[in-house]
């Protein structure tokens, strides 16, 4: 069994309540389990296929879930980049290998399943792209209409293509993501539509399984988990899950939670470096990494706690550093990711170069979305294909 608990004041709500913000203080809610009632062992869990649903005892869904076999993504050893950085134990968890090409699927299998469990029949979200792509996919699977609000002109092509093809009602707002989120929130509260942004506590429950899988695949708790941070839901989710595993005795240490943001959208980094009690909202976030182009991260309170309590850190990277790492991952490791995803490894490169890392650390970088999500940014960085006459001489002359 579980309850919904305010992350700020501790007020409690029953599991079937449809509330996104605490009615007493306005802060977000989190799912809290009676952990002493979870009797499954890690050995039993490990006999199941690796996926989000391997961990169902740590999830709130009690019906047949809406699933497309999300999770179970590969954990790759970054041999060449690790060698360059003097980090022999550097890994990337490739979340681009999920059904819609990003980690958002872990949250959406939960979110759409919970919509069904709670008797809701329309879902909506604001999105920098991947949330909408994923929601459209899972709403299609569930046979539910879905509504998507996007910041006009700032969403990568592949993501819009997915939302449209999977049948969402797609609306472009002449404003940024933060404004789109305010609007969809108001729409959902006033019209009984189910909101699937990361203020939805159930979505984060799915996303926490990234941490479970990383521990299972590595065979131990990594010393550090590194995530690109936008709304800060994912980093909060991974931390929450691993705290639950510590509390049931599955693990006895926690990784240093490490947040990487783009220089043009770095409120969490500023709060950590300035030792501020909360983030200062940025009005005009700007970065090539559109998935983390967010100035008002709604989960910042939880993310700051995750970083402080694990003695983690936060660092920013420039767009040039992000794009350089996107290329290096593609060319040296065979790992194709979108720009936001490369930010986690670019952040590790920067921290390593500053001498901030112990070379023995086992580091898992979460790379969050697939290369094909944002083909335009890729094409701009690469020389175009060479066009030739259809003769062998012409072919040999260019090789
Ligand atoms: C959503 C997203 C992020 C940011 O995750 P948050 O939970 O908002 O911090 C990073 N990368 C990609 C590819 C995403 O889709
Ligand atoms: Zn509260």
């Amino acid at each position: 069994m579980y309850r919904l608990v305010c992350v700020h004041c501790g007020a409690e709500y029953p599991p079937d309540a449809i509330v996104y913000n605490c009615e007493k203080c306005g802060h977000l809610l989190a799912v809290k389990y009676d952990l002493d009632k979870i009797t499954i062992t890690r050995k039993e869990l490990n006999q199941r296929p690796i996926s989000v649903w391997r961990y169902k005892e740590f999830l709130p869904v009690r019906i047949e879930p809406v699933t497309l076999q999300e999770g179970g993504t590969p954990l790759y050893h970054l041999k060449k980049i690790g060698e360059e950085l003097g980090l022999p134990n550097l890994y990337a968890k490739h979340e681009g290998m999920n059904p819609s090409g990003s980690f958002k699927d872990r949250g959406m299998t939960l979110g759409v399943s919970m919509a069904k469990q709670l008797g809701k029949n329309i879902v909506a979200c604001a999105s920098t792209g991947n949330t909408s792509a994923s929601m459209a996919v899972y709403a299609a699977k569930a046979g539910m209409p879905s509504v998507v609000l996007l910041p006009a002109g700032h969403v990568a092509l592949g993501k819009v293509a997915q939302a449209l093809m999977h049948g969402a009602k797609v609306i472009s707002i002449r404003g940024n993501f933060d404004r789109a989120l305010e609007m969809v929130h108001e729409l959902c509260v006033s019209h009984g539509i189910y909101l699937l942004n990361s203020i939805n506590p159930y979505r984060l429950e799915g996303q926490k399984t990234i941490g479970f899988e990383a521990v299972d695949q590595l065979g131990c708790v990594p010393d550090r988990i590194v995530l690109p941070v936008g709304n800060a839901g994912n980093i909060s989710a991974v931390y929450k899950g691993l705290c639950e595993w510590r509390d049931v005795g599955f693990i006895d240490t926690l990784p240093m939670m490490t947040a990487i943001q783009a220089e043009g959208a770095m409120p969490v980094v500023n709060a950590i470096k300035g030792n501020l009690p909360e983030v200062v909202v940025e009005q005009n976030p700007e970065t090539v990494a559109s998935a983390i182009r967010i100035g008002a991260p709604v989960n910042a309170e939880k993310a700051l706690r995750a970083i402080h309590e694990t003695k983690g850190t936060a660092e920013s990277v420039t767009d040039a550093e992000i794009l350089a790492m996107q290329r290096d991952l593609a060319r040296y490791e065979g790992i194709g990711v979108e720009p936001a995803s490369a930010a986690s490894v670019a952040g590790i490169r920067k921290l390593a170069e500053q001498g901030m890392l112990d070379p023995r650390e086992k580091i898992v970088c979460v790379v969050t979305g697939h290369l094909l999500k944002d083909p335009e940014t890729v094409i701009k960085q690469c020389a175009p294909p060479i066009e030739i006459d259809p003769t062998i001489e012409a072919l040999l002359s260019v090789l």
Side-chain angles (χ1 to χ4, degrees), residues 6 8-11 22 24-27:
C6 172
H8 192 72
C9 78
C22 177
K24 301 208 169 74
C25 75
H27 288 249

Side-chain angles (χ1 to χ4, degrees), residues 102-104 130 207 228-234 291-292 338 340-341 368-369:
S102 85
F103 76 82
K104 298 298 198 299
N130 281 329
Q207 290 172 202
V229 166
N231 250 325
N234 212 25
I292 52 173
E338 66 169 284
S341 313
T368 41

Side-chain angles (χ1 to χ4, degrees), residues 170-249:
V170 179
I171 299 155
S172 258
I173 308 286
R174 291 186 210 102
N176 63 20
F177 167 82
D178 302 309
R179 178 61 191 141
L181 179 56
E182 284 170 8
M183 287 176 65
V184 77
H185 194 176
E186 198 176 318
L187 172 77
C188 286
V189 170
S190 62
H191 285 75
I193 297 172
Y194 197 56
L195 179 59
L196 283 179
N197 277 98
S198 59
I199 66 171
N200 181 303
Y202 301 118
R203 254 190 62 195
L204 299 190
E205 291 303 292
Q207 290 172 202
K208 77 185 180 187
T209 59
I210 295 175
F212 296 163
E213 288 186 9
V215 172
D216 279 347
Q217 289 171 312
L218 203 59
C220 64
V221 181
D223 298 299
R224 187 183 294 279
I225 293 190
V226 190
L227 296 106
V229 166
N231 250 325
N234 212 25
I235 191 170
S236 310
V238 170
Y239 173 67
K240 176 181 188 283
L242 293 175
C243 286
E244 289 165 358
W245 269 23
R246 179 199 54 195
D247 294 347
V248 297

